[in-house]
Amino acid sequence: MNLRSFLFVPGDSEKKLAKGATVGADALILDLEDAVAAPRKPLAREMVREYLNAHPKQRASQLWVRINPLDEGGLDDLAAVVRAAPDGIVIPKTHGPADVLRLSHYLDVLEKRDDVASTIRILPVATETAQAPFRLGDYANFDLPRLVGLTWGAEDLSAAIGASTNRGADGDWAFTYKMVRSACLLAAKSIDVQAIETLYADFRDSDGLRSSCESAAREGFTGRIAIHPDQVAVINDAFMPSASDVAYARRVIAAFEVASGSGAVGLDGKMLDMPHFKQAQKVLALSEAYSRR
Ligand code: COA
Ligand code: MG
């Protein structure tokens, strides 16, 4: 299932955990990492486990957990939450697909230990260390059936490389982050998993969020991280094919049907060939998947 919005919810906030369930995100990410101060991590782990137990499957939003890096408490997080059967695990600060494989092996064992009937999925934050961007192409050489997508992050990467900002003079991402974002998009597509756009920090600016999401969706991203409930509806809307996208896709497919057998057709004075046909099929498939929900 395609997931458009992943809303981060700090795992130690009773109020936000309660609110999270009501906002219509395709997935919540119950956070045990950066949104939780170190002294509160053990408490957050317990609260997240209880929350998962109190919200069994068939819930409106999938429930994911962001653990700490495996060598910094993440293994304890996993051991605590797997028995409550989250839909997936977000793993931060990965250096590459070997880290995802390691997590996957841990899940193999813990699911057995705890009699978890479902398969817990994985979404790595795939660009938060200086090494990570160089390994993005290696995902294609690993067999990772739990992997549903790749997402990227600019904040930890700038801290990792000692940059005082990740923005250029124009306010847009600086070149390093644009490069990493594109590489993450391509890596996700190369293994046919979701490409998840990073968060939009200015959570009061819904117009800015909307246009940023629309541009990400045009580039091929299929979903986005949210940090505030108000961002969820904007994200859900932007990553679902619009009525006009669907109408156009139908016209493209019809044009190919009429010209049966020919690889290129004209529509509205433009040449269309196989890539356009395939893109139109993808738009229709996505729209049908959402209408079945
Ligand atoms: N999940 C669930 N509920 C949230 C929420 C979130 N991420 N962010 C805010 N809310 C709730 C608030 O508790 C508040 O609830 P109320 O109406 O019952 O009082 C309501 O939504 C409105 O919140 P608001 O006052 O606008 O924001 P805030 O100042 O309370 O919080 C942040 C701002 C940024 C601290 C907060 O949005 C947040 O914690 N975001 C997630 C941070 C995170 O997880 N970071 C790690 C990943 S980068
Ligand atoms: Mg972080």
Side-chain angles (χ1 to χ4, degrees), residues 33-34 66 93 128 156:
E33 201 218 4
D34 285 346
R66 180 167 71 174
K93 300 183 178 67
E128 288 186 319
D156 284 281

Side-chain angles (χ1 to χ4, degrees), residues 38-205:
R40 286 176 66 85
K41 290 201 189 234
L43 168 71
R45 199 181 280 152
E46 285 317 300
M47 287 176 66
V48 163
R49 190 156 62 92
E50 277 168 28
Y51 185 88
L52 289 166
N53 283 328
H55 297 79
K57 301 273 171 180
Q58 305 305 319
R59 46 214 169 194
S61 304
Q62 286 196 7
L63 297 180
W64 288 60
V65 177
R66 180 167 71 174
I67 60 171
N68 288 278
L70 287 172
D71 299 322
E72 295 167 37
L75 194 49
D76 297 302
D77 295 337
L78 264 191
V81 300
V82 163
R83 58 170 56 101
D87 292 286
I89 298 292
V90 175
I91 176 161
K93 300 183 178 67
T94 52
H95 299 300
D99 289 344
V100 176
L101 185 63
R102 182 174 162 213
L103 170 60
S104 187
H105 288 156
Y106 290 148
L107 288 172
D108 290 344
V109 174
L110 294 172
E111 284 175 351
K112 265 282 187 257
R113 180 198 70 178
D114 295 332
D115 279 325
V116 177
S118 53
T119 300
I120 299 173
R121 309 288 170 185
I122 301 175
L123 174 67
V125 190
T127 69
E128 288 186 319
T129 73
Q131 291 170 47
F134 296 103
R135 308 256 165 87
L136 284 166
D138 292 347
Y139 276 93
N141 305 322
F142 280 70
D143 184 27
L144 298 168
R146 293 177 188 271
L147 190 68
V148 301
L150 298 177
T151 190
W152 74 284
E155 305 307 326
D156 284 281
L157 180 58
S158 49
I161 67 178
S164 58
T165 176
N166 46 33
R167 299 287 176 171
D170 61 358
D172 201 352
W173 296 119
F175 178 74
T176 302
Y177 307 88
K178 284 184 183 163
M179 178 181 72
V180 156
R181 174 177 179 273
S182 297
C184 180
L185 170 66
L186 292 167
K189 299 293 162 167
S190 78
I191 51 171
D192 201 21
V193 298
Q194 279 199 249
I196 306 295
E197 173 66 299
T198 197
L199 60 91
Y200 189 85
D202 188 355
F203 57 84
R204 305 275 181 229
D205 176 15

